[in-house]
Amino acid sequence: MSDDPFVAHRGLLFTVAYEMLGSAADAEDVVQETWLRWASTDRAEVRDPRSYLVRIVTMQALNRLRSRKRRREDYVGEWLPEPLLVGPEVAEDVELAESISMAMLTVLETLGPTERAVFVLREVFDTPYDEIAAVVGKTPAAVRQIAHRAREHVAARRPRMQVTRAEQEEVIGRFLRALADGDVQGLVEVLAPDVAVVPDGGGVVRALRVPLVGIEPVVRALSGFAKRAGAGTAVSPMWINGGPAARIDIDGVLDTAISFVVEDGRITRIYAVRNPHKLTQLREEKQVTLQRRGCSDQSSSTAV
């Protein structure tokens, strides 16, 4: 591990920023901004470098959350998080994998900026309330109330059933085979009655602008995929955001990244990211390093 605390905790800083923003590009920018702040800091005045760095990256991400409302309002169609290519160690950390799943990140999008910052810092990184209060400009008592509301909000919207990775892979494998074969019955058996397909084309490529909901319209749309797909179309499994997923390549180029929510043996949500700007990292096979632990397992004193 590097002697420079920024280098040592860079994975943690990126994780905080990504979970707050849902964008790898924005998270990278925030981490870079944090580095610039760190480079100009008098290190002798920093009692706990890790806490200090997390505080700075959170404040930078919070500023972006508060200023991007108009950009989201102008976004064409549904907005989904930018998928991440991460190592197998992330899948082994169940809590981290869940916190960066597409399902969780889309739920976090329904929180306000301050609520999201409080939830991420408290529920994911177990940051003390007084440290969170210093970041968001609230009292510790107010932060406790915000955390409680955010926790209830997320609990009401997150997937209800916990399934193993093996179960997810089995269900998704059946879905991909049925999709490739145009097997209507196979699709019916693997999809939940209230299944929803949430597409994200960003107005850049062709995609539905609203979710497709209900097993009948979803099966009708998906059953014709095999016939519509050209000779250069390939569908294959992959792992993104810490969970089993799939990709559609056309003539060797990634066209769509697909994430799933599996509950009680059936797929309830299909997230299809087609906006090419959000697929750059996957196309380049750029793997990111994430870190969840280490935010508060040492001294929790707020630095500087």
Side-chain angles (χ1 to χ4, degrees), residues 133-156:
V135 173
V136 301
K138 305 284 185 180
T139 66
V143 167
R144 286 179 181 272
Q145 292 180 342
I146 294 171
H148 177 72
R149 291 197 303 269
R151 193 180 304 117
E152 289 188 334
H153 179 94
V154 171

Side-chain angles (χ1 to χ4, degrees), residues 12-23 26-27 30-31 57 61:
L12 171 64
L13 302 179
F14 179 86
T15 308
V16 173
Y18 177 70
E19 292 198 21
M20 286 187 61
L21 298 168
S23 165
D26 286 348
V30 164
V31 171
V57 81

Side-chain angles (χ1 to χ4, degrees), residues 87 181 233 271 285:
D181 296 339
T233 301
Y271 300 105
E285 298 186 353

